[in-house]
Amino acid sequence: MEAENFQNYTLGEIYPNYSLEWEISNFIKVWIAVATSLTYCKFTSKLVPKGLPRLLTFSPVICLFLYLPLNLHSMHLCGTTSFFIAWLSNFKILLLAFNKGPLSDPSLSLPQFLAVGCFPIKIQPNPPPKSQTKQNPSPQNPQNGHKSLWNYAIKVLLVAAFVRIYNYSEHIHPKVILVLYCFHIYFMLEIMFAMVAALARATVGSKLEPQFDEPYLSTSLQDFWGRRWNIMVTSILRPTVYGPALRVWTRVLGRKWAPLPAVFVTFMVSAVMHELIFYYLGRGRPTGKITGFFILHGVCLVVEIGMKKVLKGRCRLPPAVSRPLTIEFVVVTGFWLFLPELRRCRGFVRAFDEYMLAAAFVKDIVGGAVKFRNDVGTGK
């Protein structure tokens, strides 16, 4: 079957033997390979000098991390795995090749190194004594960006409600459904990363970097992309792409105007990585719409930053005006260029199928446990 026709079929039609058990088995194998590869990177980084020699040593791992997501086929497992290893892990390995980034910390134990390498993990420092905290209170809120369990519980209930509402989509205006899709994506990303955060805290005492900070409160594109949406991506793009591009363009344009092309280059790299993730999800030939989305936003953000530099803080719109304008622009361009790609790879249909498979899988496990207990109780 040709790759570009992948999006026209469901998983069951493409892979007759597809089952949740098969996917979980592949998922475990992929992550065993990831852990083994990162262990190799940790020990070889101590033996090989930084720079090109270390980069060549790491290159097989980088290529492997680009290949591994092709072994997964579900929206959730493939999507998160490709984001974590093909993008975040590979960029962290590139930084480690030059003895930079979070993996270059020599104090990291092997479990901590694996956690930081696999996930958007930030090692939590030992908290200061309570007396010291009271005498010298930190100006920053340590819980900033993290939400309560009730917040996530409400979002889980909303996602469940969305799934039910989609059953009546023929009676609802298509644009309303698209708005629900936007919230669905946002809530699901937060829920999945919260689950990873809980796993990180339980295993290596680390915390997950906040992925979102109330993006619907953004007052500008700079606020949306730089501080509120996909914060983990921003934190890894800054040292790997934006910083080097800024240094290069500073020599050409000077420090004042160098951020403008540096921002655009960063958006171009982000576009390439998003196209790659969508290829993993749909295995279809790119249409260029994802790239167009990020080029458009990159250009608009460059214009916005340039205007701020020229106006120097004058003529600033009040939040009551700038917030709805910002969100409207993001949503409208998302409807135009981003969501059609999710629909092209049948993202929502496949996600709903996975919910049903997961529910049936849990039901079988619970039913088997109950049957085993009854058999033991009756002496069978």
Side-chain angles (χ1 to χ4, degrees), residues 205-352:
S206 304
K207 62 180 180 180
L208 191 75
E209 294 177 353
Q211 172 69 2
F212 301 98
D213 184 13
E214 314 299 348
Y216 45 83
L217 298 179
S218 302
T219 56
S220 65
L221 286 179
Q222 189 176 17
D223 186 30
F224 180 86
W225 289 113
R227 305 182 187 94
R228 295 183 179 275
W229 181 267
N230 233 342
I231 298 171
M232 291 180 293
V233 168
T234 302
S235 66
I236 198 65
L237 284 174
R238 187 173 288 114
T240 54
V241 181
Y242 178 78
L246 183 65
R247 290 191 291 272
V248 170
W249 282 102
T250 298
R251 302 190 193 103
V252 179
L253 300 176
R255 186 64 181 86
K256 180 178 180 180
W257 299 107
L260 303 186
V263 165
F264 185 75
V265 170
T266 304
F267 268 78
M268 287 300 299
V269 173
S270 181
V272 171
M273 299 311 298
H274 277 86
E275 289 280 14
L276 179 63
I277 290 175
F278 269 84
Y279 176 77
Y280 290 135
L281 292 175
R283 312 292 159 88
R285 184 176 298 166
T287 63
K289 287 186 177 180
I290 296 297
T291 299
F293 176 84
F294 284 98
I295 288 178
L296 175 61
H297 277 255
V299 170
C300 291
L301 182 53
V302 166
V303 172
E304 178 185 298
I305 295 173
M307 290 179 64
K308 287 180 179 178
K309 288 181 177 293
V310 171
L311 296 175
K312 297 180 180 180
R314 300 188 299 270
C315 301
R316 184 173 297 177
L317 294 175
V321 177
S322 60
R323 279 176 180 159
L325 287 177
T326 301
I327 299 307
E328 182 179 5
F329 179 78
V330 173
V331 170
V332 169
T333 54
F335 285 176
W336 175 31
L337 297 169
F338 205 91
L339 284 182
E341 291 301 285
L342 273 177
R343 300 176 75 175
R344 189 173 75 98
C345 68
R346 300 177 60 88
F348 293 102
V349 174
R350 289 163 55 193
F352 302 150

Side-chain angles (χ1 to χ4, degrees), residues 41-357:
C41 289
K42 177 174 176 60
F43 289 106
T44 54
S45 65
K46 298 178 180 179
L47 303 174
V48 181
K50 66 179 181 180
L52 184 58
R54 192 183 293 182
L55 179 60
L56 293 175
T57 304
F58 290 167
S59 59
V61 174
I62 295 172
C63 294
L64 177 64
F65 282 9
L66 292 173
Y67 165 75
L68 286 176
L70 295 173
N71 293 280
L72 300 173
H73 310 93
S74 75
M75 290 295 297
H76 296 87
L77 297 183
C78 180
T80 53
T81 298
S82 60
F83 174 61
F84 284 159
I85 67 172
W87 190 343
L88 296 184
S89 293
N90 267 348
F91 277 39
K92 290 176 183 179
I93 292 172
L94 288 173
L95 288 173
L96 178 61
F98 298 93
N99 212 30
K100 297 179 180 180
L103 295 180
S104 63
D105 184 355
S107 66
L108 292 177
S109 65
L110 179 59
Q112 290 174 332
F113 186 93
L114 294 178
V116 172
C118 292
F119 308 114
I121 294 294
K122 181 186 294 180
I123 298 299
Q124 189 170 12
N126 294 326
K130 292 184 178 180
S131 59
Q132 182 179 347
T133 305
K134 291 180 180 179
Q135 294 174 1
N136 301 301
S138 172
Q140 295 179 347
N141 181 6
Q143 298 300 324
N144 184 37
H146 297 276
K147 302 178 177 63
S148 67
L149 290 175
W150 280 110
N151 186 290
Y152 292 112
I154 291 172
K155 287 172 181 174
V156 169
L157 293 176
L158 286 172
V159 170
F162 293 161
V163 174
R164 296 292 298 174
I165 291 172
Y166 296 147
N167 293 330
Y168 306 96
S169 57
E170 66 273 11
H171 304 296
I172 303 174
H173 196 281
K175 291 185 178 179
V176 175
I177 295 296
L178 289 176
V179 172
L180 294 182
Y181 283 167
C182 292
F183 280 103
H184 189 161
I185 295 169
Y186 166 46
F187 292 158
M188 282 305 303
L189 287 173
E190 277 213 313
I191 292 166
M192 286 190 291
F193 289 122
M195 294 170 63
V196 175
L199 177 63
R201 285 194 294 268
T203 52
V204 293
S206 304
K207 62 180 180 180
L208 191 75
E209 294 177 353
Q211 172 69 2
F212 301 98
D213 184 13
E214 314 299 348
Y216 45 83
L217 298 179
S218 302
T219 56
S220 65
L221 286 179
Q222 189 176 17
D223 186 30
F224 180 86
W225 289 113
R227 305 182 187 94
R228 295 183 179 275
W229 181 267
N230 233 342
I231 298 171
M232 291 180 293
V233 168
T234 302
S235 66
I236 198 65
L237 284 174
R238 187 173 288 114
T240 54
V241 181
Y242 178 78
L246 183 65
R247 290 191 291 272
V248 170
W249 282 102
T250 298
R251 302 190 193 103
V252 179
L253 300 176
R255 186 64 181 86
K256 180 178 180 180
W257 299 107
L260 303 186
V263 165
F264 185 75
V265 170
T266 304
F267 268 78
M268 287 300 299
V269 173
S270 181
V272 171
M273 299 311 298
H274 277 86
E275 289 280 14
L276 179 63
I277 290 175
F278 269 84
Y279 176 77
Y280 290 135
L281 292 175
R283 312 292 159 88
R285 184 176 298 166
T287 63
K289 287 186 177 180
I290 296 297
T291 299
F293 176 84
F294 284 98
I295 288 178
L296 175 61
H297 277 255
V299 170
C300 291
L301 182 53
V302 166
V303 172
E304 178 185 298
I305 295 173
M307 290 179 64
K308 287 180 179 178
K309 288 181 177 293
V310 171
L311 296 175
K312 297 180 180 180
R314 300 188 299 270
C315 301
R316 184 173 297 177
L317 294 175
V321 177
S322 60
R323 279 176 180 159
L325 287 177
T326 301
I327 299 307
E328 182 179 5
F329 179 78
V330 173
V331 170
V332 169
T333 54
F335 285 176
W336 175 31
L337 297 169
F338 205 91
L339 284 182
E341 291 301 285
L342 273 177
R343 300 176 75 175
R344 189 173 75 98
C345 68
R346 300 177 60 88
F348 293 102
V349 174
R350 289 163 55 193
F352 302 150
D353 288 343
E354 290 165 24
Y355 297 152
M356 299 301 104
L357 284 172

